[in-house]
Amino acid sequence: MKYEIHADGICEPNPGLGAWAFVVFDENGKQLDAQYRFVGEGETNNTAEYRAVIEALVWSHELDQDEVVIKTDSMLVVNQLNGQWNVSDKMRSWWDNARDLIEPHVRIEWIAGTENKADYFTRRAYQIGTGIWPQPRVKKTKQKILIKNPPMG
């Protein structure tokens, strides 16, 4: 059987209060499980994302004959676990923990945040812990300032 797991973490402010979630789907897209927890103080967005993937890896441990794809919207987690990015000393213990849990039948892939079905549960866990529903994340972009007649010189 094939399983797809969406994993997500949140932290507000960053660093600050964190929560994680993962949702498990079978090969037909039927939701089989959803787990989520409020972690509290001392999290960052990156540690919350790693924690979600680690919890999903623990859940998938018993599925050693099945194909498992864990999808997260954290480029940092995906690229570090797949060996494409260096791992900082600050993230080393999280990476070590996750790498120790990854088995041959498990793949870690990126998914767009808008498609990550664990996002709702992460926000729900945060709300349970704080009483506040976190605002949707918005990417901040730098505005370009056009100067029609730049100074010469």
Side-chain angles (χ1 to χ4, degrees):
M1 182 175 253
K2 295 181 182 179
Y3 295 90
E4 183 172 297
I5 303 175
H6 291 200
D8 193 29
I10 190 171
C11 180
E12 289 190 4
N14 186 24
L17 301 172
W20 61 265
F22 69 84
V23 185
V24 182
F25 302 94
D26 69 11
E27 57 196 4
N28 298 314
K30 179 182 176 191
Q31 182 179 320
L32 302 176
D33 196 4
Q35 295 188 21
Y36 49 98
R37 301 279 184 283
F38 177 73
V39 180
E41 287 286 344
E43 288 293 297
T44 66
N45 279 330
N46 292 335
T47 60
E49 296 281 2
Y50 257 109
R51 189 181 301 269
V53 169
I54 289 167
E55 294 293 342
L57 286 164
V58 169
W59 187 95
S60 70
H61 184 70
E62 299 299 319
L63 306 173
D64 59 353
Q65 299 301 313
D66 298 296
E67 181 182 340
V68 178
V69 178
I70 298 175
K71 296 185 176 187
T72 177
D73 56 23
S74 171
M75 294 289 288
L76 177 114
V77 171
V78 170
N79 286 316
Q80 284 184 345
L81 290 177
N82 287 322
Q84 297 165 319
W85 289 4
N86 290 332
V87 180
S88 68
D89 290 341
K90 191 164 72 170
M91 299 308 295
R92 178 65 59 185
S93 64
W94 292 97
W95 181 85
D96 285 341
N97 194 348
R99 288 300 308 163
D100 287 346
L101 292 167
I102 294 175
E103 298 179 79
H105 66 282
V106 177
R107 290 190 332 268
I108 309 292
E109 296 180 358
W110 183 81
I111 188 172
T114 55
E115 297 175 23
N116 190 337
K117 295 185 173 87
D119 180 79
Y120 167 81
F121 293 100
T122 304
R123 293 174 185 286
R124 179 70 180 118
Y126 189 89
Q127 181 187 38
I128 289 168
T130 65
I132 300 167
W133 185 265
Q135 296 298 313
R137 294 179 215 153
V138 184
K139 285 207 172 209
K140 296 177 183 174
T141 58
K142 295 181 181 177
Q143 293 181 342
K144 291 184 179 179
I145 299 173
L146 299 176
I147 302 173
K148 289 187 177 184
N149 296 315
M152 301 301 257

